[in-house]
Amino acid sequence: MPEQDLCGRCGQPLKSHERISVANVGLRCYRCFNEETAAMMSVDFDNTPLQPVTVADADDVEHTFEFRSMLVPTGHALYARERVPEGQEGYEFSVLGDFDANPWDLFRLLYDRIQHGLAVRHVERGELGWRITDARHLVGRITSDPDRAGEIPLLVIDGRPFTWDQVGRLLMSFEGFTLRAFVDDSIEVIGGPLLKEERKA
Ligand SMILES: [Zn+2]
């Protein structure tokens, strides 16, 4: 394995979604990054690693999620990422709490988000391929399409990637209708400086 794929502090091998490149320092795993950042910011950060969990979706298909904690300038972020083969897209959920948030409290809220997220279907298979469900409500995480040099979005709907072309096809069964779209933050803010600012406003 080439040297750049190892954490520069603990030497652990890193997959692409597991590494953080720290300016002028080098690559870090999340655990080392958090410990170093907590020490630098003089905050008490609970770095308890969380075990992967499996959650069934509306069709009883099981999805396994891996968790990672990250100390960011706006608090303690907890990310859940579906375990999918390297380079593939799946479900992702995240919550942002206060710096000294109890990871179990964050986990419970995130787990709730995962369960709710997996219980909803925005698209379903019809006779002519994928279609938007009768709720006519399409929600997807915007990511970039690696086959289009990152210039065109790939939309992850119900944990499944749809190319921009496929999204267009989904909409074509509603020709003549109106599309109302809004773009929302992926992370749910439940504590920390961002929430305090929101409450002040
Ligand atoms: Zn490390």
Side-chain angles (χ1 to χ4, degrees):
M1 189 171 284
E3 201 182 338
Q4 64 265 28
D5 289 329
L6 300 176
C7 170
R9 186 162 173 255
C10 70
Q12 171 188 298
L14 303 168
K15 292 187 199 127
S16 65
H17 62 271
E18 289 173 341
R19 57 177 178 233
I20 305 173
S21 182
V22 184
N24 306 319
V25 175
L27 288 179
R28 290 291 182 267
C29 68
Y30 277 88
R31 198 175 170 79
C32 288
F33 174 83
N34 289 335
E35 283 172 7
E36 285 181 333
T37 309
M40 256 189 297
M41 293 169 69
S42 304
V43 295
D44 194 14
F45 179 68
D46 191 331
N47 216 355
T48 309
L50 295 165
Q51 294 300 309
V53 300
T54 299
V55 181
D57 67 17
D59 300 316
D60 249 355
V61 176
E62 291 193 328
H63 302 261
T64 300
F65 289 88
E66 288 171 351
F67 297 90
R68 61 172 210 243
S69 273
M70 193 172 169
L71 207 55
V72 292
T74 46
H76 180 164
L78 184 64
Y79 301 93
R81 185 178 187 279
E82 186 179 358
R83 189 185 279 166
V84 287
E86 180 85 4
Q88 288 187 27
E89 295 289 344
Y91 280 107
E92 285 182 23
F93 299 93
S94 48
V95 291
L96 179 70
D98 220 333
F99 291 109
D100 56 358
N102 179 327
W104 292 105
D105 291 341
L106 292 180
F107 173 78
R108 270 191 290 273
L109 288 158
L110 186 54
Y111 189 69
D112 204 51
R113 272 201 95 183
I114 296 172
Q115 285 186 310
H116 278 100
L118 265 61
V120 178
R121 280 274 168 272
H122 299 101
V123 290
E124 60 191 9
R125 275 189 214 275
E127 280 167 29
L128 303 169
W130 287 100
R131 59 183 288 273
I132 295 172
T133 60
D134 293 338
R136 294 188 192 167
H137 191 218
L138 191 65
V139 176
R141 178 169 48 86
I142 304 166
T143 171
S144 69
D145 188 340
D147 295 336
R148 302 290 298 274
E151 288 177 352
I152 305 289
L154 192 72
L155 210 57
V156 184
I157 307 165
D158 299 347
R160 186 186 296 272
F162 286 80
T163 65
W164 204 232
D165 210 57
Q166 288 171 315
V167 172
R169 280 171 216 272
L170 288 172
L171 293 174
M172 276 316 286
S173 49
F174 296 100
E175 192 174 356
F177 284 63
T178 298
L179 172 69
R180 290 179 209 283
F182 69 93
V183 179
D184 205 6
D185 244 332
S186 286
I187 197 159
E188 188 174 353
V189 181
I190 53 172
L194 275 185
L195 192 69
K196 282 167 202 144
E197 267 168 44
E198 254 172 47
R199 282 182 179 154
K200 257 187 267 167

